[in-house]
Amino acid sequence: MNILKRLLGAGKTPREVDGAWQVPVIQEIAVAMIHQIPEEWTSAKLLLEPTEQGLGRGMRHSAITPQSGDGFALQDSHFVMPDMAVMAATRKLELGWVERKATFKRAAITATRDDSGGWGIQSEYEHP
């Protein structure tokens, strides 16, 4: 990476950016997903990808599904489409990455119900 890119922070991957700012945003996305899914689901997954124009100009959203498929293709008829609360929260995530001059190829947000009825939340990123 040349000195100009280093100074401006261009091209950072999620591994190179402090992740603490993401915690409340990822939690907001997961809570919005949980409010939307049927009560019997024990997990929910949402995939996000920047559009061809890059972060800051919108992201593609998968359907929210109970299984852990890898792509945007639906595996079966069990899914819900992200509502405005999910979309608003994912926009905060997108703008957070733009602010930090970083990017990702794909993000997966997963919420999984544990034995006590609580929810574990996880975010994973693929790098360009």
Side-chain angles (χ1 to χ4, degrees), residues 4-127:
L4 183 59
K5 283 187 177 180
R6 250 189 260 163
L7 289 173
L8 297 176
K12 293 180 185 175
T13 66
R15 290 183 194 152
E16 299 170 321
V17 176
D18 175 27
W21 68 272
Q22 293 179 56
V23 173
V25 179
I26 297 297
Q27 288 173 341
E28 183 178 347
I29 294 168
V31 167
M33 289 168 43
I34 291 165
H35 282 125
Q36 220 186 319
I37 63 173
E39 280 188 43
E40 66 270 12
W41 286 15
T42 58
S43 66
K45 183 175 185 177
L46 174 69
L47 297 177
L48 304 168
E49 288 182 347
T51 64
E52 292 75 25
Q53 292 81 27
L55 280 178
R57 298 200 165 111
M59 288 192 293
R60 292 191 304 184
H61 295 66
S62 72
I64 300 168
T65 60
Q67 73 274 7
S68 59
D70 288 333
F72 280 70
L74 294 172
Q75 307 287 323
D76 57 33
S77 62
H78 300 287
F79 67 91
V80 294
M81 296 306 296
D83 65 6
M84 290 307 294
V86 173
M87 300 296 262
T90 61
R91 180 68 174 163
K92 289 179 188 178
L93 180 68
E94 178 184 14
L95 294 177
W97 283 113
V98 170
E99 181 180 323
R100 287 156 183 83
K101 298 178 176 78
T103 192
F104 56 86
K105 181 178 176 182
R106 180 181 285 178
I109 316 265
T110 308
T112 306
R113 192 182 326 224
D114 60 27
D115 294 337
S116 66
W119 289 87
I121 299 168
Q122 183 177 0
S123 62
E124 298 178 73
Y125 296 93
E126 287 181 32
H127 309 290

